[in-house]
Amino acid sequence: MLKAVFQGGDKIEIVSAPIPEPGAGEVLVQTSYCGLCGSDKRLFHNGTQNTPGHELTGIVRRNGPGATAPEGARVAVYIHPYCGQCRFCRVGETNRCINVLGGQIGFNRPGGYAQNVTVPASCLIELPPDISDAEGVLILDTIGTATYGVKYGLRALDSQARSGRAAVVGLGPLGLGSFHILSSLGMEGNVYAYDPAPVRMGAALGWGAKAIDPAGINPRGEFSLVVEASGQQAGRDLVFDLVEPGGCVVLFGQSPNPWIIQPHIKWRRKDFSIVHSFYFPIGMAAEFIDLFRARAGYYRQMISPIVPLEKLQEAFIDFCAGKTLKPLVKLG
Ligand SMILES: [Zn+2]
Ligand SMILES: [Zn+2]
């Protein structure tokens, strides 16, 4: 099979490798598609031992010892292995598992920029017939992570005087997903957005977002829910101006850089919540599939471009430059 090796310095080599053997409780998945994600950028720049790729769909080919997944099933893969037995897993909060802290697929173990991958059988999400393998990628981070974090933030809103407006800073895949989810969850027409990249900003405006004017921001805050999906210090500074008293900032943007909160008189008297969110409970997948169906036309427009594995390096260069929305690599 073929797989990508991230060498660092923005170089990706495609090499042949043996098809991996599924271990106990694991299955072999033949990868169909894998989505590029902002959290891959660090690996693209710095290099890594494991094959990255954590937004993958594929077909179950073989069970390892003790696994009983239906062979031939079309699946999306949940990236967090979880124990299923700790107090969080027992109530379905698999994203909060306290026994399995590492082992994320595509980070700490091989991921989806390869034609085959082994994953825990408990991490399979079966795709219904009306969701294609390419569309299934969006069920994961773009819709799943966004929905879970946005709902968490909505629960934290505290003021009776809330404006009901939302803002999204950073319109990579997770920011665009957050825009769609906020629109689906009752804020359609009241979602504002900002990204310096014209392609991403243009897409959001075309789907009904309103533009945030960075020069005209009132630091007392006018937005009940503010999503930070840029991972940049400038975005992280901006969200504290945007959030209104009693509002909530949802932090999605991942960055290897330190995050410095500089106290400032502008928002010293403003009380608000901050939610940090990274992934979602696996049991919410059916809800994410319904959210995809509700705005399927928009989500299909997000999938762009689709490239072969041999073009992964070029796809990352364009993605890092903000020229594309949600690139997918086609492997199957
Ligand atoms: Zn991702
Ligand atoms: Zn657990």
Side-chain angles (χ1 to χ4, degrees), residues 82-86 89 97-99:
Y82 57 95
C83 78
Q85 283 153 20
C86 71
C89 286
C97 178
I98 46 175
N99 286 334

Side-chain angles (χ1 to χ4, degrees), residues 83-327:
C83 78
Q85 283 153 20
C86 71
R87 62 194 166 98
F88 290 101
C89 286
R90 281 203 307 273
V91 295
E93 297 174 1
T94 54
N95 55 322
R96 294 174 174 162
C97 178
I98 46 175
N99 286 334
V100 187
L101 294 179
Q104 275 98 344
I105 295 159
F107 293 99
N108 316 110
R109 57 181 281 163
Y113 297 129
Q115 289 177 316
N116 293 273
V117 58
T118 56
V119 303
S122 58
C123 288
L124 301 178
I125 298 168
E126 210 163 330
L127 293 174
D130 64 314
I131 305 289
S132 73
D133 290 11
E135 293 162 0
V137 170
L138 270 61
I139 302 302
L140 299 165
D141 292 22
T142 304
I143 297 177
T145 298
T147 303
Y148 179 76
V150 162
K151 283 187 148 186
Y152 199 160
L154 290 173
R155 287 197 300 276
L157 298 187
D158 190 54
S159 176
Q160 300 291 323
R162 73 185 65 143
S163 68
R165 281 191 290 267
V168 180
V169 175
L171 299 174
L174 192 45
L176 289 173
S178 299
F179 161 73
H180 286 305
I181 295 308
L182 287 159
S183 302
S184 283
L185 297 180
M187 291 176 133
E188 184 150 26
N190 278 315
V191 187
Y192 291 67
Y194 177 70
D195 193 297
V199 171
R200 293 173 170 179
M201 194 65 215
L205 294 175
W207 296 329
K210 294 177 176 166
I212 295 169
D213 171 12
I217 287 166
N218 171 6
R220 295 187 178 186
E222 295 172 353
F223 298 93
S224 305
L225 191 89
V226 181
V227 170
E228 202 307 291
S230 76
Q232 306 291 318
Q233 186 65 40
R236 291 166 167 180
D237 290 341
L238 180 58
V239 293
F240 290 136
D241 284 352
L242 294 173
V243 69
E244 69 185 9
C248 180
V249 171
V250 179
L251 294 174
F252 282 134
Q254 298 294 316
S255 166
N257 303 323
W259 179 30
I260 297 154
I261 301 179
Q262 187 64 52
H264 198 289
I265 194 163
K266 311 189 273 196
W267 48 271
R268 183 175 296 150
R269 286 184 50 188
K270 183 157 69 174
D271 65 52
F272 56 89
S273 305
I274 301 175
V275 162
H276 170 260
S277 184
F278 183 70
Y279 213 54
F280 54 85
I282 193 169
M284 288 178 74
E287 180 181 343
F288 304 152
I289 287 166
D290 280 342
L291 285 162
F292 176 89
R293 289 174 178 139
R295 290 173 78 87
Y298 294 131
Y299 289 119
R300 289 191 187 110
Q301 290 174 32
M302 268 187 75
I303 299 175
S304 162
I306 295 178
V307 302
L309 186 59
E310 293 74 17
K311 295 279 184 220
L312 184 59
Q313 181 178 305
E314 289 86 340
F316 261 105
I317 289 168
D318 285 349
F319 182 61
C320 290
K323 292 181 182 170
T324 51
L325 299 181
K326 184 62 177 175

Side-chain angles (χ1 to χ4, degrees), residues 37 39 54-55 141:
C37 178
S39 54
H54 60 272
E55 301 183 29
D141 292 22

